[in-house]
Amino acid sequence: MPERPAEPTGVTGISAGATGSGTSGEPAIELEGIWVRFGGLQALQEVSFSAARGEVSGLIGPNGAGKTTLFNVATGLQRPERGRVRLLGREVTRMGAHRRCRLGVARTFQRLELFWSLTVEENIRVAAEAHLHRRLRGVGAGLLRGNASPWNGPSDGGLRRHPRSQTTASTVARILDRTGLTGLATERVDGLPTGTARLVELARALATDPVVLLADEPGSGLDDADASTLGSLLRELASDGMAVVLVEHDMGLVMRTCHRVTVLDFGTVIASGKPSDVRSDPAVQAAYLGAPGVEVPAR
Amino acid sequence: MNEFLALSVVGIVYGAVYAITASGLVVTYATSGVFNFAHGAVGMVAAFSYWELSVNLGMPVLASLAVVLLVEAPVLGLVVERLLARQLHSASTERALMVTLGLMLVLVGIASTVWNPETERILPGFFSMDSARILGVNVSGQQMLVVALAIAVAVALWGLLKHSRLGVAMRAVVDDPELLAMAGASPIRVARAGWILGSMLAALAGILLAPLVTLDITTLTLLVVNGYAAAVVGRLKNLPLTFAGGAALGLIQSWAVGYMPQSWQSWLPGIRTALPMIFLFAVLLILPQDRLRAIGRVVTNGVPRVAGLRESVAGALALVVLAAVAGGLLSGTAIATISQGLVYGIIALSLVLLTGYAGQVSLAQLTIVGVGAFVMGKVDGGGSWFGVLAAVVCCAVLGALVALPALRLKGLYLALSTLAFAQGATYVFFDNDHVFGSGGSIAVGRPAIAGISVSSAHTEMTVLASMFGIAGIAVLAIRRSALGRRLVATNDSPAASATIGLGVRTTKLLAFAMSAGLAGLAGALYGGLQGQVGANDFGLFSSMTLLLLLVICGVRTVSGALVAGIGFAALPVLQSHVSWVSDLVGLVTGVGVVLVGRLPNGLFGSSPVHRRIEARRLARVYTSDPITADVIQDHANA
């Protein structure tokens, strides 16, 4: 399969905060030597992983390899036994999920976690509002300190910029438009098909104006055409300056979309690199085909 | 030393019965995932049945025991499993909770219809005469029997769980019902066994308890709170810890009787009775939170549309006009009933905020209302707007304070903690002579409006209708606001809320404070309407009944709150015309909630017609909307 280059698409950014404020290739989130144990099961063992702004990083592996656990560690829903998590160079290992979100981590869930009794629009709005709320707090704190440019809010360590004009309503409208959900805005999400519901989760994550977007199997439940559109959207988001991490079982989507791929198996990293290299890696093939050893005899 | 031993013996005996009832709760919960709030009511029915057979009909003790324990209790467990519990398998914790609370009301209603609560009944112990001296303490035959039975139950349960096929399956189903099904055992059969066993243990505990305390419907039903406490010590799955919890509670209670300082007694006369509630509350807070059964995706097809501002103002105006007009036509009794109903409606509105939107179940709402009425009566002469304001503020603060320790609790444990709070507050606060005086009630007045005092019943009804209207508009406005979305969001998915940056704790705390403030307002109005309020107006059963009525009528709607409130006021009036059944309120509510609870989406969302309409609407949206169609087209082209 041909490798598509990560061309910048120049679409109007959803993530205005991310646009231009980061250099492509700079690691946005770094997980270092992560260990997680559930009872007798070592779910993650000395796993290191990082994702750079401007790139889509794939995270693949057989079921139970520890991908979602790694997401939980990255977002703060699971505390690691050992290891460190850094966000834009800042240590966040002991920080709770909602504070990490304020620093720019957003995610979607493999098992859908939508706000089922709200509409599509409200699902996105509630995230945008939570985000606006803390942005205003940042402004207040900035003004108190006599900060010349309050939008470089000290609450987020001056890491991100926000244009003054951005209001919740326009953010929601823009995200609805970009994810193609405008027509479903007033629908309650509990009636939506799974594929569309996953799109709503993605839209909701974008409403928090993330620097790092962790997408957990966003493609499952989508047909090929929709999956392909999703792939382009993820690449666009990356080219806007976001660090996108994609967990996915659809290998076609992963290979087309990702700039780099990391493979997990039984809680350890077994390969990492460009999609084409990873694909031909014998260890990866063994993990996926279930062969006992790496070396497959030629005879 | 002798006194200590004697107290300890009594404590151990009580503890043994708590342990038996708690082990029944644990067995049922562990095998079916349903926490049976009606467990105590099952024991109560068994104790009364045993009285009926052995005392009233004069059957031999052993035969009566056999009929109750080996026939009635298992059949009851079987019926409940088949008709109720099986439908609750994949239901949310809240729905399971409501249904078993409903079952409790039904059993209490049936019992009070069959056995008139006014009649005094005595249930003798098995060997009331014989006693032996052990270590210098007199131990009666009944006491020895109770302890021996508790030990026998413990040994039998241990044997069953460790060494029988069914027992192994029961232990397996706790871990993973689906896996068990794949291994060839039927989770339904296991759950059925769990309900039968649980019911038998409840019955045994009821029969043993009745001679120790009194053969009274409410007392026996609520004694299960002690069982809840023991079961929570075992975190609803560990039987040895549950037995230890029961024994600990019995001992603490008994020692408190002997050693609690007299000064405490005079200030808080109800403190001893309230000990189990305090124990339960403390255990819930101290023990590490075990993850309760995963709920899975809660079916929310019953979620109604949220009315806009114009719509809600129009509805409120219509209600006020209706009240003003109807007031001239209705009889005094009808006006009084509707006025009461409007106040109950405002209480129900506070539950719409808390339970409907934020998903927090509280069984203590009338406790807060009672505090509101009390504050109203005590502040500024007992009938001013300042008093109303004070009631609202005090209750909001109280609500937040009660919620503060309970913030880490959710679902079932939260409901249990509010139950403990409500019952504890009844014993310590409402029943306390220092609070409502020795007469048991205080006078509360109505605040004047623009200097004119509201004296006629007609005007009062119109005022209350306006108050309900304003409260309704406010509740809907909150739901449409950013705060309302936060309440609903944190209820729907706490994990997703955290990852979009919402603080779950603040949101919960706000929900409790707002809801309690509204309940305080209702309390002030209730006091003004009734003229005087007393200890009996704010009991746990009333809180439960109003909540369940609201669940039947629609826990997320303002109209549901209105209907529930009016119904709560009207049912007792109806009762006075129906003599062949007592406790009509409880029976109607219980049966209603059991019926509604069996349908996964509530009354409306479950009808096939509704499903078809919904499907057609969605299909239309997907194909007819030009933008969506464009998106679909774009996707196809990409």
Side-chain angles (χ1 to χ4, degrees), chain A residues 200-240:
Chain A
V200 178
E201 274 212 352
L202 187 67
R204 184 182 65 191
L206 292 177
T208 65
D209 195 8
V211 178
V212 179
L213 173 69
L214 307 163
D216 203 342
E217 298 197 19
S220 74
L222 297 183
D223 60 21
D224 284 352
D226 285 349
S228 155
T229 315
L230 175 77
S232 334
L233 176 62
L234 292 178
R235 279 190 87 118
E236 280 168 32
L237 292 170
S239 67
D240 287 348

Side-chain angles (χ1 to χ4, degrees), chain B residues 1-8 137 259:
Chain B
M1 189 62 196
N2 240 356
E3 187 195 359
F4 176 79
L5 279 178
L7 286 171
S8 303
V137 179
Y259 299 119

Side-chain angles (χ1 to χ4, degrees), chain A residues 97-98 101-102 109 113 115-118 122 125 127 129-130 180 183-184 187-188 190-193 196 204 225-226 229, chain B residues 297 300-301 303 479 482 485 488-489 492-493 496-502 556 617-618 621-622 625 628 631 635 638:
Chain A
H98 66 287
C101 166
R102 289 170 194 177
F109 291 85
E113 287 280 351
F115 304 136
W116 297 107
S117 26
L118 297 179
E122 284 179 315
R125 179 177 273 262
E129 279 163 352
L184 297 171
E187 288 301 310
R188 269 220 327 271
D190 61 355
L192 299 177
T196 317
R204 184 182 65 191
D226 285 349
T229 315
Chain B
R297 182 175 161 175
T300 50
N301 278 350
V303 181
R479 170 59 187 82
R485 281 187 285 275
V488 175
D492 279 357
S493 170
S497 298
T499 55
I500 62 164
L502 292 179
R556 298 186 188 211
R617 194 180 56 83
L618 264 184
V621 169
Y622 269 93
D625 187 285
T628 314
V631 171
H635 283 208

